[in-house]
């Protein structure tokens, strides 16, 4: 059977890189985000092996990127609490998947991503803070799950490509929602300006 783990990740991260490069305003933030996304692509195949654990280098870059985004936030402690809540939620769904996989009638990255997106939208309003909370909470949720499973003798790669699929699909949902909000705001402003001009006439 052909494994498609990682396919969603590669497609989505290239799309995100395109959005960052061609649609964000020029500046340090765009440069850092663009370089970070390319490094994630390159390092997705790299794995660091330790005596009891192994983890992908891309997952470390995800955590570094999340910390960089959240440290720029004015509400750092609230967003860290939100990331902690997301970590518990993500690991709980992973345990549920392990115990009763029959409930997962859709691809796992779809179910996980929509669950994570709903939690994030409920807790965080700012777009860049949403991205940071998603990256940090999901990454540490993955670590928590594998550390717990290691206690039962199950050793798997932390930050495997299936996890990266879930993470990037979640980011694409959040980005799509943000772009829809921006488009709606611009459309409303344009209609309001047109209406004001007509009233002035």
């Amino acid at each position: 059977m052909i494994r498609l783990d990682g396919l969603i990740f590669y497609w989505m991260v290239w799309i995100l890189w395109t959005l960052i490069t061609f649609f964000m305003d020029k500046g340090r933030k765009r440069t850092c985000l663009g370089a970070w996304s390319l490094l994630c692509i390159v390092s997705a195949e790299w794995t660091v092996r330790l005596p009891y654990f192994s983890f992908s280098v891309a997952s470390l870059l995800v955590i570094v990127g999340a910390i960089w985004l959240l440290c720029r936030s004015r509400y750092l402690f609230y967003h860290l609490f939100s990331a902690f809540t997301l970590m518990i939620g993500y690991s709980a769904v992973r345990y549920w998947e392990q115990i009763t996989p029959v409930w997962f009638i859709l691809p796992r990255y779809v179910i996980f991503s929509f669950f994570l997106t709903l939690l994030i939208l409920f807790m965080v309003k700012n777009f860049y803070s949403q991205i940071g909370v998603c990256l940090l909470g999901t990454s540490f949720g993955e670590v928590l799950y594998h550390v717990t499973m290691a206690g039962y003798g199950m050793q798997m790669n932390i930050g495997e490509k299936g996890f990266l699929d879930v993470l990037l699909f979640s980011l694409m949902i959040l980005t799509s929602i943000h772009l829809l909000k921006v488009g709606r705001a611009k459309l409303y402003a344009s209609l309001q300006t047109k209406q004001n001009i007509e009233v002035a006439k």
Side-chain angles (χ1 to χ4, degrees), residues 76-95:
L76 178 60
F77 290 106
Y78 174 75
H79 290 145
L80 288 177
F81 176 76
S82 299
F84 176 79
T85 304
L86 192 67
M87 176 189 76
I88 300 300
Y90 175 81
S91 57
V93 177
R94 289 299 307 268
Y95 299 140

Side-chain angles (χ1 to χ4, degrees), residues 2 11 22 35 51 69 86 102 110 119 123 136 139-140 144 147 177 184-185 192-193 200:
I2 299 176
W11 273 101
F22 296 104
L69 280 174
L86 192 67
V102 70
V110 174
L119 271 180
M123 294 186 295
L136 191 64
S139 298
F140 277 108
L144 176 62
V147 169
I177 293 173
R184 184 183 65 179
Q192 192 70 26
T193 302

Side-chain angles (χ1 to χ4, degrees), residues 38-196:
L38 289 178
L39 284 174
C40 286
I41 294 174
V42 172
S43 62
E45 297 290 339
W46 300 346
T47 302
V48 176
R49 301 191 181 278
L50 299 175
Y52 298 101
F53 298 101
S54 62
F55 54 88
S56 68
V57 176
S59 63
L60 290 180
L61 288 175
V62 165
I63 293 174
V64 171
I67 293 172
W68 178 75
L69 280 174
L70 291 181
C71 283
R72 300 165 61 90
S73 170
R74 291 167 51 190
Y75 308 102
L76 178 60
F77 290 106
Y78 174 75
H79 290 145
L80 288 177
F81 176 76
S82 299
F84 176 79
T85 304
L86 192 67
M87 176 189 76
I88 300 300
Y90 175 81
S91 57
V93 177
R94 289 299 307 268
Y95 299 140
W96 182 38
E97 177 193 29
Q98 191 72 29
I99 297 170
T100 57
V102 70
W103 289 100
F104 287 79
I105 57 177
L106 294 173
R108 66 189 300 274
Y109 68 86
V110 174
I111 296 175
F112 278 48
S113 298
F114 277 102
F115 171 75
L116 294 173
T117 302
L118 287 175
L119 271 180
I120 293 166
L121 292 174
F122 178 75
M123 294 186 295
V124 185
K125 301 302 180 185
N126 179 266
F127 173 63
Y128 290 107
S129 298
Q130 289 175 348
I131 298 297
V133 168
C134 179
L135 295 174
L136 191 64
T138 309
S139 298
F140 277 108
E142 177 80 354
V143 173
L144 176 62
Y145 169 75
H146 283 292
V147 169
T148 306
M149 290 295 104
Y152 295 96
M154 300 176 61
Q155 296 189 15
M156 293 175 283
N157 185 29
I158 298 175
E160 57 192 0
K161 290 182 180 179
F163 159 74
L164 295 176
D165 284 345
V166 171
L167 190 60
L168 265 295
F169 197 68
S170 302
L171 293 185
M172 285 305 299
I173 295 174
L174 291 171
T175 303
S176 300
I177 293 173
H178 173 68
L179 292 177
L180 286 174
K181 287 181 178 179
V182 171
R184 184 183 65 179
K186 288 184 177 180
L187 178 61
Y188 177 78
S190 176
L191 292 175
Q192 192 70 26
T193 302
K194 184 177 180 181
Q195 184 179 9
N196 292 337

